[in-house]
Amino acid sequence: MAERSTAAVDVADDSGEQSLTAEADQSTADGVAKNRERDTDNDEAQESTGTEGPATTSPPELHSGHKLARRYRLEECVTRLDGFSSWRAVDEKLRRAVGVHVLPADHSRARSVLAAARSSALLGDPRFVQVLDAVEENDLVYVVHEWLPDATELTTLLASGPLEVYDAYQMVSQVSSAMAAAHREGLAHLRLNPTAVLRTSTGQWRIRGLAVNAALRGVSSDTPQRTDTESIGALLYAALTQRWPYESDAYGMSGLPKDIGLIPPDQVRAGVHRGLSELAMRALANDGATASRHESPCTTPEELVKAIGEMPRIRPPEPAFTAPPDYQRTTYQQGSYGRPATPPHATQPTPVPPPPLHSRTGKALKWAVSALLIAALGLGSWQLADALLEQGGTSEDTNKTQTTEGDDSDKPTTPLRPVPVENVREFAPAGPGIQEEDVELAVDGASDTAWITPQYKGYANFGNLPQRKDGSGLILDLGSVKSVSQVNVSLYRSGQTVEVLAADPDSSEPSVLEDFSQRLTALSAVDSDLAVKLKQPVRTRYVLVHITELPQDGSPGVFRGGISEIKVKG
């Protein structure tokens, strides 16, 4: 029986080994082009880890077309290394591309690989590449993982130059938050390098290789949190400078010059963001390598997340707009279409057109407008007289005003004013947030930015994950109790199941659904815009835009949603 688990994956291509990697950008059974997933080992001296002795077990004899569990058809061997092999395969049951690690059941690391996959399954974090099966069968152990067709690894992104400041900030923020969540569950990566970090087409960063990658290579560490934190610092250093922060070259990047030690990124390359430069040095600080101007070193991903939160937020760059070209009139618009060209140097008198309303067309237009005005006045007078007769209007009734009980149409209305949002946070009562660093994008006044969820597979209710059993959404803190009459929500995608709730006026820091007792809308699937107009204003400090189900994200079985902008008026 195949056992379900979630873990990151990593396909090896160690330097000095003969790789069987071939181009994998081909169409598979599900009709989607797949990219090559690989990993390049760095000099082990650069990693503060220990390794077991090499396994002596020969890799199993497999070939293209071989099927595992009568379901997973092996397509292409990506890597064959140290007793295990990695393949691009097709899940014929679900008609999708997958990746597979295969090693003999008597391999010295087989038990640790299975244990790593099963333990990381408990995390269930979509920021990590998911493992689909971890199986021991017919003298083989194999781990099946998802294949990401839209993801590009950091190594490829850095081949053309350093990342932009905002991209580097997003990368270190998302990777640090993900690793902090993993370490809270007792899981470490230990091989977090540029080939293990991927950026999807939507700009989200995902990590592969959590626990499984280290188990495949027998890597361990006495200080796993420190190891992963220093690796995040190296990733940020490389993203800012396109240089690897050690003397040896690695991952297609040059190392630092020898005998000068670890120098800050803003001394390696001009124009580097000062705050991110210092953050990289705090994460890389080891044996006194941190310069005196830097603050205390960060030794855990949790400390790194806290340091990022204390930095001024880095905004995305403004989109560049190019001015449209000057308007050029064509010869047809100038009235010379079909006329013989004027000989060069010939001067012709330019006829002066008559005033617009004195021409023949202008006079006809004036008569037409006059006739329309007369007809409109006559029709209006007839309708007014007919209305007065129907109401029994007489000379003594015309000055009376009729009012209907409960009709406020004649009452003066006070124009609504925007209610500023003091703070916004993610609604996540059963676990950690999913995109906590992007929540402010939903209240920044820009419709082209958004708080967007990751992709969830199989179920519209956030992947049916236990930590998302109450859905997700955003909680708006208005700073104090205010009167709320209108809430306008622009959604990232139509088809989301949404409701808007408000907490009681005396609530303080509400975090679960029971805290939001005032219902402003019913729970229903809505289009891309949701406008809430209340007959009577409600008094509250906290407003919750609650999402319970997500729409499809381009293909069946894949779901994603989010919020572009929220405005509150009162």
Side-chain angles (χ1 to χ4, degrees):
M1 176 66 66
E3 300 192 23
R4 290 288 179 191
S5 61
T6 40
V9 299
D10 193 5
V11 182
D13 183 13
D14 280 19
S15 55
E17 299 286 347
Q18 179 66 32
S19 173
L20 301 181
T21 304
E23 194 64 36
D25 294 328
Q26 301 172 356
S27 180
T28 59
D30 57 1
V32 181
K34 309 302 174 187
N35 65 341
R36 178 172 56 190
E37 297 189 66
R38 61 179 178 82
D39 182 18
T40 303
D41 263 340
N42 190 18
D43 185 357
E44 293 296 333
Q46 297 173 6
E47 302 185 13
S48 56
T49 61
T51 50
E52 300 175 0
T56 57
T57 306
S58 300
E61 293 296 331
L62 301 173
H63 55 83
S64 297
H66 185 91
K67 287 187 181 180
L68 299 173
R70 299 181 180 179
R71 173 177 179 176
Y72 304 111
R73 185 181 75 247
L74 303 182
E75 291 284 302
E76 179 185 14
C77 184
V78 179
T79 298
R80 196 184 301 273
L81 172 70
D82 201 14
F84 72 89
S85 59
S86 300
W87 296 76
R88 176 175 60 84
V90 173
D91 181 351
E92 294 186 334
K93 183 176 181 180
L94 298 180
R95 296 184 59 81
R96 62 180 177 182
V98 295
V100 182
H101 298 306
V102 186
L103 65 164
D106 59 352
H107 194 287
S108 61
R109 299 170 191 157
R111 303 271 75 77
S112 61
V113 170
L114 281 175
R118 291 165 181 171
S119 62
S120 58
L122 300 176
L123 184 61
D125 194 321
R127 292 173 291 191
F128 295 93
V129 176
Q130 306 293 298
V131 160
L132 308 175
D133 276 308
V135 180
E136 181 177 0
E137 181 181 71
N138 298 331
D139 298 327
L140 291 178
V141 167
Y142 58 90
V143 176
V144 182
H145 59 83
E146 64 178 330
W147 190 275
L148 302 179
D150 66 336
T152 305
E153 64 184 34
L154 184 58
T155 306
T156 304
L157 296 174
L158 294 179
S160 58
L163 297 184
E164 296 293 335
V165 174
Y166 179 73
D167 292 335
Y169 172 75
Q170 286 293 311
M171 184 274 295
V172 71
S173 298
Q174 296 182 30
V175 171
S176 299
S177 298
M179 290 309 306
H183 278 282
R184 283 195 294 268
E185 300 297 328
L187 295 173
H189 196 293
L190 303 185
R191 286 184 53 80
L192 196 58
N193 53 49
T195 62
V197 178
L198 312 171
R199 186 174 70 180
T200 66
S201 59
T202 60
Q204 303 301 315
W205 295 88
R206 299 184 68 180
I207 302 172
R208 66 184 179 192
L210 179 67
V212 175
N213 188 20
L216 283 169
R217 291 163 181 77
V219 176
S220 62
S221 173
D222 295 331
T223 56
Q225 294 206 51
R226 182 71 196 94
T227 299
D228 284 343
T229 305
E230 188 168 352
S231 297
I232 297 174
L235 293 173
L236 179 57
Y237 197 105
L240 296 173
T241 64
Q242 202 187 13
R243 299 287 292 268
W244 193 237
Y246 302 97
E247 291 185 354
S248 301
D249 300 345
Y251 310 108
M253 293 176 284
S254 301
L256 297 179
K258 296 183 178 181
D259 303 326
I260 67 170
L262 182 63
I263 58 177
D266 56 1
Q267 295 182 16
V268 176
R269 174 176 167 266
V272 172
H273 188 275
R274 178 70 174 272
L276 293 179
S277 175
E278 294 189 0
L279 185 67
M281 292 299 290
R282 292 179 66 184
L284 279 169
N286 196 359
D287 298 330
T290 304
S292 59
R293 68 181 176 128
H294 300 297
E295 299 180 16
S296 58
C298 298
T299 58
T300 66
E302 198 74 51
E303 292 178 359
L304 199 55
V305 171
K306 182 179 179 182
I308 295 172
E310 293 172 350
M311 289 177 53
R313 180 175 175 82
I314 299 176
R315 295 281 183 179
E318 294 293 335
F321 295 100
T322 57
D326 293 337
Y327 177 70
Q328 299 290 336
R329 297 188 63 184
T330 64
T331 56
Y332 175 76
Q333 292 167 323
Q334 292 170 347
S336 60
Y337 179 76
R339 299 178 185 176
T342 304
H345 307 295
T347 59
Q348 294 183 353
T350 303
V352 179
L357 294 181
H358 289 281
S359 63
R360 179 178 300 176
T361 304
K363 292 178 180 179
L365 181 62
K366 285 193 294 182
W367 281 109
V369 171
S370 300
L372 287 174
L373 287 175
I374 294 172
L377 289 173
L379 179 62
S381 301
W382 176 79
Q383 289 180 336
L384 179 60
D386 186 60
L388 291 174
L389 289 174
E390 287 182 359
Q391 295 176 1
T394 62
S395 58
E396 41 185 54
D397 292 335
T398 54
N399 294 326
K400 294 182 180 180
T401 301
Q402 296 183 355
T403 60
T404 303
E405 184 178 356
D407 185 7
D408 297 334
S409 58
D410 294 334
K411 297 180 181 180
T413 58
T414 304
L416 299 179
R417 296 181 179 180
V419 177
V421 177
E422 186 77 16
N423 187 31
V424 59
R425 56 189 170 92
E426 204 168 289
F427 176 70
I434 49 180
Q435 296 296 345
E436 294 175 312
E437 64 279 357
D438 292 337
V439 294
E440 292 185 5
L441 298 180
V443 293
D444 60 357
S447 59
D448 57 344
T449 61
W451 170 80
I452 306 172
T453 73
Q455 285 184 332
Y456 291 90
K457 295 190 175 181
Y459 300 92
N461 60 337
F462 293 83
N464 203 28
L465 298 175
Q467 63 267 34
R468 299 283 164 258
K469 61 185 180 66
D470 290 329
S472 186
L474 297 179
I475 301 175
L476 278 61
D477 182 359
L478 307 181
S480 61
V481 177
K482 304 286 179 61
S483 292
V484 174
S485 299
Q486 184 172 327
V487 180
N488 295 326
V489 184
S490 297
L491 298 171
Y492 168 71
R493 181 162 293 163
S494 61
Q496 301 181 70
T497 302
V498 185
E499 63 181 345
V500 181
L501 307 173
D504 287 335
D506 56 353
S507 295
S508 176
E509 296 293 328
S511 58
V512 296
L513 280 178
E514 290 74 14
D515 295 337
F516 296 89
S517 58
Q518 302 188 80
R519 177 173 296 278
L520 307 189
T521 69
L523 180 64
S524 61
V526 299
D527 292 330
S528 57
D529 293 305
L530 173 61
V532 182
K533 296 181 180 180
L534 304 176
K535 294 182 179 180
Q536 295 294 333
V538 298
R539 298 283 293 172
T540 186
R541 175 177 175 177
Y542 300 97
V543 175
L544 168 62
V545 179
H546 182 215
I547 304 175
T548 60
E549 292 189 2
L550 306 174
Q552 286 190 359
D553 187 32
S555 59
V558 180
F559 303 91
R560 185 198 296 271
I563 300 173
S564 299
E565 195 66 27
I566 307 175
K567 295 181 180 179
V568 181
K569 294 183 180 181

